[in-house]
Amino acid sequence: MSDDVPSPPGSPLSSPVTVDPREPLSRLRRELDTGDGGLSAREAARRLAVYGANEVRRERHGWFGRELARQLVHPLALLLWGAGALALVAGTSVLAEAIVAVILLNAGFALVQERHAERAVEALAGYLPDRAHVVRDGTARAVPAGELVPGDLVVLEEGDRVPADARLTDGALEVDLSMLTGESAPAERLAGAAQEELPPLRESNLVFSGTTCVGGQARAVVFATGVHTELGRIAALSQRTKREESPLERQVKGVAWLIAAVAVGMGAAFLAVGVAAGLPVTDALTFAIGLLVANVPEGLLPTITLALALGVRLLARSGAVVKRLSAVETLGSTNVICTDKTGTLTQNRMTLRSVWTPEGGERSGPATGAPAEAMVECTTVTVGEDGSLHGDPTEVALVEAAVRPGVGTGTEDADTEAELAGRDARRRALFRFDPRLRLMSAVSEHDGGLVVSVKGAPEAVLARLAKREYGGARDAEGGADTGADPGAAVEDAVSRMTAAGLRVLAVAARQLPPGSPVPRQREDAETDLRLLGLVGLYDPPRAEAAGAVRRCHEAGLRVHVVTGDNGGTASAVARDVGIGEPELRVVDDGGAVTDQDLDELLRADCEIVFARSSPETKLRVADALRAHGQIVAMTGDGVNDAPALHRAHIGVAMGRSGTDVAREASTMVLTDDDFATIVTAVESGRRVYENVRKFIVYIFAHAVPEVVPFLVFALSGGTVPLPLTVLQILAIDLGTETLPALALGREPAEPGLMNRPPRRSGQGVITKDMLVRAWGYLGLVSAALVMGAFFYVLWRAGWHPGDPTGPGSGLHQAYLTATTATFAGIVMCQIGTALAARTEHASLRQVGLFTNPLLLAGIAFELVFTAALVWLPPLQHIFGTAALPGDAVALIATFPVVVWGTDELRRRHRRNAAAAAGG
């Protein structure tokens, strides 16, 4: 390397150093060109220029302007721009301004949504410290953490956040890795040789950027900075897994293009028809504008937005905070849920259920004697001011079982604090739980001698027993030779307890010879042990979990469990709550399953437990399910879960136990960490989607009675006067129609909603059946009724085809009354359509007439608004209306019953046909 300038781009040093941090320390130092004195300040400055700052970078690339432009030219936004232009042509500038405000409001919603992924990366960046302690030029100093480079020698001690990925060179630390691993207990990290075939996060001589030192002191050589750290890798994954449009967003865009094509096509076609039929050009233009206005559903986009916003608010009341409006609809199409076990399906409140000892076999109830003493010695549980126990749930359960038998989580035992204080006073050394070794041990002084107490995974403890205790028949010191293999008895007990859904820990102890020093290394302490017994801990399922799983199955949803726990315990809990229909498969090592095996598993008609899984397993499962066309909801709580949460259609973070990064990367946050809340959210999503379809039917049904009058006018060549004016259409579409449409967005769930299978991911929000219902039944019936009212009023006044009806003619007042009858008739048909649209399958009697009070209020507003336009002179002048006679009012008053009754008969016929086909 040059002494004056950094290497030019393209040279070996212009790209990050790629080293294996687990290789021998001497070789690692040679590759990083560093030593005990650290780097020189000049060398550090050169490397900073080459490798860049030690920070989690955010990709911006002008997203704001691009996203704003995309929202402003969204197809439905273009239709709204057209509606605004038509409103200006019609001389209603206030209406045009309102439409523009709706466009901007929806664009604002989209911009807020796009910020979520970027905020997740910002949350990741918050884990990095501001300053780091390094050795440079042989002297310890503090430098900005962003200036660290590979090869720097950092000094770490209790309370520090690790500023970069590094390999310990001397000393030992206890490090909180929960943000990366999800494990709450600190892990021991110490300088030494690496162990083979361990993933980096499990390697005991490595520490990682953003984690926290909770004890000890050490020095470490930096081998990765910035985007090349574990934290940077997660940030890059979070940014690369871009959010895709939800099914509703794609479908609304497609519907918008369809509506635009139909509206423009019909307007152009019938403009030509009108001119060919002999209409004056001005009349033909009026006719074309009327068709455009009649076909453009001005209220569709704001109604969808408000319905989704309402769904978000209702979900928040149920404990699910949804951060993206369209996600409410996506929840409704979810067909696979991948859930954690601990704290989501279970209560995350361990209780000791079973104890096995070599002498007494297995029994239920509290631990006593030597196993109980060792359990207490080998914990770090503390007592809070209120007397409750604080610490890891497993250790809390052990202390409760040993010190508070029969009390559970009560706080009335005054001896507990004294017992734990005695434990601390006796303790001479503590080796915290090591997830790699799956062991924890403590050295305590008893009666002038030292006793080592150990707890951990059975296989880890059994491997450290004295030979006379395990692996063969007992010798004379261990008791009579029975000829039986004690190892087989222990393994049989472990299998039995695991199959019962218990988390099994082995408890062992060792009496050190008199005068022995306190062991400095855990290897010296955790050897030649004597097995005291096994304890089986149970984390009971949440009371509502089984019912929630049953609802999932009734709704056609599949539930997979992705957990770090062992397969036996996880599968037992899964079966307890009903997961495994029609078959439960258990993958004992989820991280080792190949992509081919994963695809075969996910294609099978079964539910799966992925045990001993890592957050990377979640990402692979989410990717595979998406590739199979499934709509996936995935739970997670750790920083490592962020890519999987971002990749799933619905990322579900835990509000209580989750990290900030997981919450930012997710689509939905559970404030109660409860699986049942996910099912409630799915039901709410289905309800919102069905309600969107209901008000689309409601809105589309009115296009027919609004278009038909213009067709009659054009096809008659003007012999039939125009039965409806453009302003009257606007009064319907943006006046009387809006409140009932919004009310349909609050419609309660239809009976049987969660007994239907999830809809296909490719199914459109608008189906052929919906169009037939809206246009062929409701629309045509409404059109026939309103045209009947129009002709009834004209004929009653003595009109014949071709008679003049313009201003100054004898029939002009009758013509105004007839157009008013058309306008009022459409409004009354809206009422019947709203009642019919409330249900797609069931009868109105099953749904209940009064179960949607907002709809009743919307109908009341329609009637008052219509009455104002019909009978108030100022509004009569603006909208070209006239007072209706009593017989016309009586005729129009029957329209809601006719429209609703026709559709009610249609639905009853379909129910009967479906029942006959099912029988």
Side-chain angles (χ1 to χ4, degrees):
M1 181 194 281
S2 167
D3 288 337
D4 299 314
V5 295
S7 302
S11 71
L13 287 177
S14 65
S15 59
V17 170
T18 302
V19 297
D20 182 358
R22 292 169 291 187
E23 64 188 359
L25 184 59
S26 57
R27 184 184 304 170
L28 179 65
R29 280 176 159 166
R30 280 199 308 273
E31 292 188 7
L32 292 172
D33 194 17
T34 187
D36 289 336
L39 301 175
S40 68
R42 292 176 62 193
E43 177 65 17
R46 282 194 291 267
R47 294 191 185 190
L48 183 62
V50 172
Y51 305 131
N54 176 38
E55 60 185 19
V56 177
R57 291 197 290 268
R58 299 184 294 276
E59 299 178 6
R60 299 189 68 89
H61 304 309
W63 70 273
F64 181 86
R66 183 177 66 252
E67 182 61 25
L68 179 61
R70 186 170 74 86
Q71 293 301 322
L72 294 180
V73 296
H74 183 281
L76 208 49
L78 291 176
L79 282 177
L80 289 175
W81 286 120
L86 290 173
L88 284 177
V89 169
T92 54
S93 59
V94 174
L95 181 59
E97 292 169 359
I99 292 174
V100 171
V102 169
I103 296 171
L104 297 178
L105 178 65
N106 282 281
F109 274 129
L111 293 176
V112 170
Q113 294 162 18
E114 290 301 315
R115 281 284 292 154
H116 287 150
E118 188 163 321
R119 282 206 298 269
V121 178
E122 289 173 353
L124 280 170
Y127 280 93
L128 292 175
D130 294 327
R131 301 187 70 77
H133 298 281
V134 302
V135 176
R136 286 185 180 167
D137 295 315
T139 304
R141 64 182 68 176
V143 300
E147 295 180 6
L148 285 183
V149 294
D152 259 327
L153 188 65
V154 295
V155 179
L156 300 170
E157 56 187 23
E158 183 177 345
D160 288 346
R161 282 207 169 181
V162 180
D165 290 3
R167 160 82 176 268
L168 297 189
T169 61
D170 57 79
L173 296 167
E174 290 178 354
V175 184
D176 179 2
L177 295 173
S178 59
M179 59 165 287
L180 294 178
T181 65
E183 295 169 346
S184 58
E188 190 177 55
R189 292 292 185 257
L190 66 161
Q195 298 202 8
E196 295 182 2
E197 299 181 354
L198 279 179
L201 285 176
R202 300 293 185 188
E203 182 53 64
S204 63
N205 58 19
L206 302 182
V207 290
F208 298 94
S209 178
T211 59
T212 304
C213 301
V214 297
Q217 188 173 22
R219 297 200 303 175
V221 59
V222 173
F223 64 83
T225 60
V227 296
H228 306 289
T229 63
E230 189 72 13
L231 200 66
R233 182 183 68 83
I234 295 169
L237 280 173
S238 296
Q239 292 184 107
R240 282 200 299 270
T241 51
K242 298 297 184 184
R243 182 184 73 84
E244 299 180 0
E245 288 183 325
S246 75
L248 183 62
E249 289 171 315
R250 290 194 299 270
Q251 292 162 15
V252 166
K253 189 176 290 186
V255 169
W257 284 121
L258 173 65
I259 294 171
V262 169
V264 174
M266 289 183 65
F270 286 107
L271 174 63
V273 170
V275 172
L279 289 177
V281 175
T282 54
D283 289 350
L285 282 173
T286 300
F287 157 70
I289 291 173
L291 277 179
L292 286 172
V293 174
N295 276 286
V296 174
E298 292 88 352
L300 180 60
L301 187 58
T303 304
I304 289 176
T305 300
L306 291 172
L308 294 177
L310 175 65
V312 168
R313 191 176 72 177
L314 293 177
L315 280 173
R317 293 177 183 171
S318 302
V321 179
V322 177
K323 302 190 296 182
R324 194 171 70 234
L325 288 182
S326 59
V328 178
E329 178 272 335
T330 309
L331 277 164
S333 59
T334 297
N335 46 27
V336 177
I337 299 176
C338 296
T339 177
D340 291 320
K341 178 184 73 70
T342 304
T344 307
L345 292 176
T346 66
Q347 300 176 22
N348 196 21
R349 185 175 58 81
M350 290 284 188
T351 56
L352 190 143
R353 176 170 286 189
S354 180
V355 178
W356 180 93
T357 60
E359 299 81 13
E362 186 174 356
R363 61 179 175 79
S364 59
T368 58
E373 293 175 7
M375 283 162 44
V376 175
E377 294 292 343
C378 202
T379 62
T380 57
V381 172
T382 59
V383 180
E385 293 183 359
D386 60 352
S388 61
L389 298 179
H390 297 277
D392 180 79
T394 298
E395 294 192 352
V396 169
L398 294 177
V399 172
E400 286 174 346
V403 181
R404 296 175 171 177
V407 178
T409 58
T411 61
E412 63 272 30
D413 191 345
D415 295 332
T416 304
E417 188 169 0
E419 180 68 27
L420 296 182
R423 174 204 63 186
D424 296 340
R426 293 188 297 269
R427 182 169 292 163
R428 298 295 176 263
L430 176 68
F431 302 101
R432 290 185 181 272
F433 178 76
D434 187 324
R436 175 175 57 90
L437 301 174
R438 291 183 291 164
L439 285 174
M440 176 182 179
S441 58
V443 182
S444 306
E445 184 175 343
H446 290 268
D447 300 325
L450 296 177
V451 176
V452 178
S453 301
V454 179
K455 77 171 191 298
E459 57 269 31
V461 173
L462 296 179
R464 289 162 175 79
L465 295 184
K467 289 183 180 180
R468 64 178 179 273
E469 293 289 334
Y470 186 65
R474 300 182 186 180
D475 57 16
E477 184 179 345
D481 186 348
T482 62
D485 181 0
V490 176
E491 291 169 359
D492 181 62
V494 170
S495 299
R496 217 170 37 247
M497 295 166 78
T498 301
L502 304 182
R503 181 184 180 189
V504 183
L505 296 177
V507 183
R510 175 191 175 199
Q511 179 78 47
L512 296 180
S516 298
V518 176
R520 290 292 194 183
Q521 303 292 333
R522 69 186 311 153
E523 292 83 0
D524 298 331
E526 297 166 351
T527 185
D528 202 26
L529 302 172
R530 179 172 61 90
L531 183 66
L532 300 177
L534 304 173
V535 292
L537 296 153
Y538 187 63
D539 184 7
R542 290 178 177 267
E544 60 275 14
V549 171
R550 184 171 60 252
R551 290 171 62 201
C552 284
H553 291 157
E554 291 171 352
L557 276 71
R558 190 166 292 176
V559 182
H560 301 313
V561 180
V562 189
T563 177
D565 214 333
N566 71 69
T569 301
S571 61
V573 170
R575 290 187 176 96
D576 278 352
V577 299
I579 296 174
E581 294 186 3
E583 177 188 358
L584 181 67
R585 294 191 183 180
V586 181
V587 179
D588 288 320
D589 189 354
V593 66
T594 66
D595 287 344
Q596 181 178 356
D597 290 341
L598 183 60
D599 286 337
E600 291 179 2
L601 280 167
L602 295 176
R603 287 194 191 101
D605 186 20
C606 64
E607 293 180 324
I608 307 166
V609 171
F610 294 95
R612 299 297 187 198
S613 295
S614 66
E616 286 75 10
T617 307
K618 289 186 176 182
L619 182 58
R620 292 178 59 215
V621 170
D623 273 328
L625 286 169
R626 289 186 68 118
H628 297 163
Q630 306 295 309
I631 305 298
V632 188
M634 174 77 72
T635 69
D637 52 14
V639 170
N640 262 19
D641 291 329
L645 294 176
H646 207 49
R647 182 59 177 157
H649 295 91
I650 299 292
V652 184
M654 302 297 110
R656 293 180 179 175
S657 59
T659 60
D660 290 340
V661 176
R663 286 191 285 268
E664 290 293 352
S666 66
T667 313
M668 182 171 76
V669 178
L670 302 184
T671 58
D672 53 7
D673 293 10
D674 190 351
F675 178 82
T677 305
I678 304 176
V679 184
T680 301
V682 170
E683 181 177 11
S684 182
R686 288 191 178 189
R687 181 181 58 78
V688 168
Y689 182 82
E690 291 300 315
N691 288 349
V692 168
R693 288 164 55 90
K694 288 172 184 176
F695 63 65
I696 287 177
V697 166
Y698 171 76
I699 290 172
F700 275 29
H702 306 143
V704 177
E706 290 176 1
V707 168
V708 165
F710 289 89
L711 296 180
V712 171
F713 166 66
L715 296 177
S716 69
T719 57
V720 175
L722 192 62
L724 195 64
T725 68
V726 173
L727 276 180
Q728 288 169 354
I729 291 177
L730 288 172
I732 293 169
D733 288 353
L734 290 163
T736 63
E737 182 178 88
T738 304
L739 278 184
L742 291 175
L744 287 172
R746 297 192 63 169
E747 188 67 29
E750 191 171 337
L753 180 65
M754 287 295 281
N755 293 327
R756 307 175 201 161
R759 68 180 184 276
R760 299 184 307 275
S761 59
Q763 178 181 325
V765 67
I766 296 179
T767 63
K768 177 182 177 182
D769 188 62
M770 283 177 62
L771 295 179
V772 169
R773 183 188 184 195
W775 292 339
Y777 286 91
L778 297 169
L780 286 180
V781 170
S782 298
L785 291 174
V786 298
M787 290 307 300
F790 174 76
F791 286 122
Y792 170 77
V793 173
L794 280 181
W795 283 331
R796 181 176 173 277
W799 172 86
H800 295 89
D803 288 351
T805 57
S809 66
L811 291 172
H812 181 62
Q813 187 62 33
Y815 168 70
L816 293 179
T817 305
T819 59
T820 303
T822 304
F823 163 72
I826 291 177
V827 173
M828 299 304 287
C829 287
Q830 280 183 327
I831 295 173
T833 301
L835 295 175
R838 291 189 61 195
T839 170
E840 188 175 351
H841 304 280
S843 67
L844 183 60
R845 180 179 57 83
Q846 290 176 286
V847 173
L849 181 62
F850 302 103
T851 53
N852 190 344
L854 185 61
L855 179 62
L856 299 179
I859 291 173
F861 172 80
E862 276 190 293
L863 295 174
V864 172
F865 183 81
T866 303
L869 264 64
V870 171
W871 280 287
L872 293 182
L875 296 178
Q876 287 176 341
H877 176 71
I878 295 173
F879 289 93
T881 57
L884 290 174
D887 57 342
V889 171
L891 174 65
I892 293 170
T894 65
F895 289 2
V897 177
V898 175
V899 172
W900 162 76
T902 303
D903 191 72
E904 187 79 10
L905 292 174
R906 183 193 69 87
R907 279 181 278 117
R908 187 173 72 175
H909 173 73
R910 288 170 63 90
R911 289 196 302 273
N912 292 339

